[in-house]
Amino acid sequence: MKKFLLSLLVLVCVGTVASAQINLNADFTKQEIVINGVAFTKASTLEDYEKVLGKAERIEKIGGKDKIFAYDKSGISLSLKTNTNVVQEVYITYIYDNDKKVAKERFAGSLSLNGKTITDKTVKDDVAKLSGLDLKAAMTGLYLGRGKELSLTVYYPEATIGQIAVSFP
């Protein structure tokens, strides 16, 4: 069985999709990301996400192809798997660092792991405990779990977490 990844890359930005509050939960027991009550898995497509988030405000090309779909006002962006319409990464921004793959505004929604709310003040050890995964330091400020199928990348203040990638069991 393939590993399924939730990646939490941490630094910080916030907003709202179509003026609605976004509630996002990474559910490790079901291996899915739930946005406003709708579940997404490693097989979910851009069109699936658009049913909840609407059309992206900004599209960035990588290698000449549409790759990044940013919802700048909501603080969320999506990255597609190469040569597919399947979403591989979901980015949540609390701090914008001029990276074109992340939203330009701060995420104002509710973010949780296994139903437990996390904020821009949550520390690495709490993320590891809530996800039930052992995080290994890959480099300064970047912590990784296992595998990579779908990732949730969260840009937090470096003082609290830095960057974290957490895989589903």
Side-chain angles (χ1 to χ4, degrees):
M1 179 179 201
K2 289 188 175 183
K3 300 281 190 244
F4 185 51
L5 174 80
L6 166 74
S7 163
L8 294 169
L9 257 159
V10 207
L11 283 174
V12 186
C13 278
V14 174
T16 50
V17 167
S19 69
Q21 172 75 17
I22 293 177
N23 296 304
L24 190 148
N25 178 53
D27 188 326
F28 288 90
T29 58
K30 296 180 181 174
Q31 298 186 6
E32 60 191 17
I33 294 174
V34 180
I35 301 174
N36 290 352
V38 178
F40 299 94
T41 68
K42 63 184 179 181
S44 296
T45 65
L46 175 63
E47 292 77 18
D48 296 330
Y49 282 85
E50 286 177 338
K51 291 174 186 173
V52 174
L53 299 173
K55 294 287 185 184
E57 296 158 9
R58 177 172 50 91
I59 299 172
E60 296 286 346
K61 292 186 181 297
I62 295 179
K65 297 182 179 181
D66 292 347
K67 175 78 172 174
I68 307 297
F69 295 80
Y71 298 82
D72 289 323
K73 292 179 182 172
S74 69
I76 292 180
S77 60
L78 309 171
S79 175
L80 301 182
K81 284 184 181 180
T82 305
N83 297 321
T84 73
N85 69 339
V86 174
V87 173
Q88 182 171 6
E89 296 173 298
V90 177
Y91 297 96
I92 303 295
T93 311
Y94 286 101
I95 291 175
Y96 178 60
D97 67 351
N98 292 318
D99 187 338
K100 69 179 182 178
K101 71 178 176 252
V102 299
K104 294 181 179 180
E105 296 183 32
R106 182 176 171 82
F107 178 72
S110 170
L111 180 61
S112 59
L113 299 179
N114 290 337
K116 304 289 184 186
T117 301
I118 62 173
T119 70
D120 60 356
K121 296 185 178 26
T122 304
V123 296
K124 174 188 78 71
D125 292 341
D126 292 336
V127 171
K129 183 186 240 182
L130 289 171
S131 64
L133 300 171
D134 183 27
L135 299 177
K136 305 287 185 199
M139 67 178 80
T140 303
L142 175 61
Y143 301 91
L144 298 174
R146 306 177 298 269
K148 185 173 182 184
E149 289 294 328
L150 175 65
S151 38
L152 173 63
T153 303
V154 182
Y155 281 73
Y156 275 127
E158 203 163 327
T160 56
I161 302 179
Q163 299 177 4
I164 295 186
V166 187
S167 61
F168 284 105

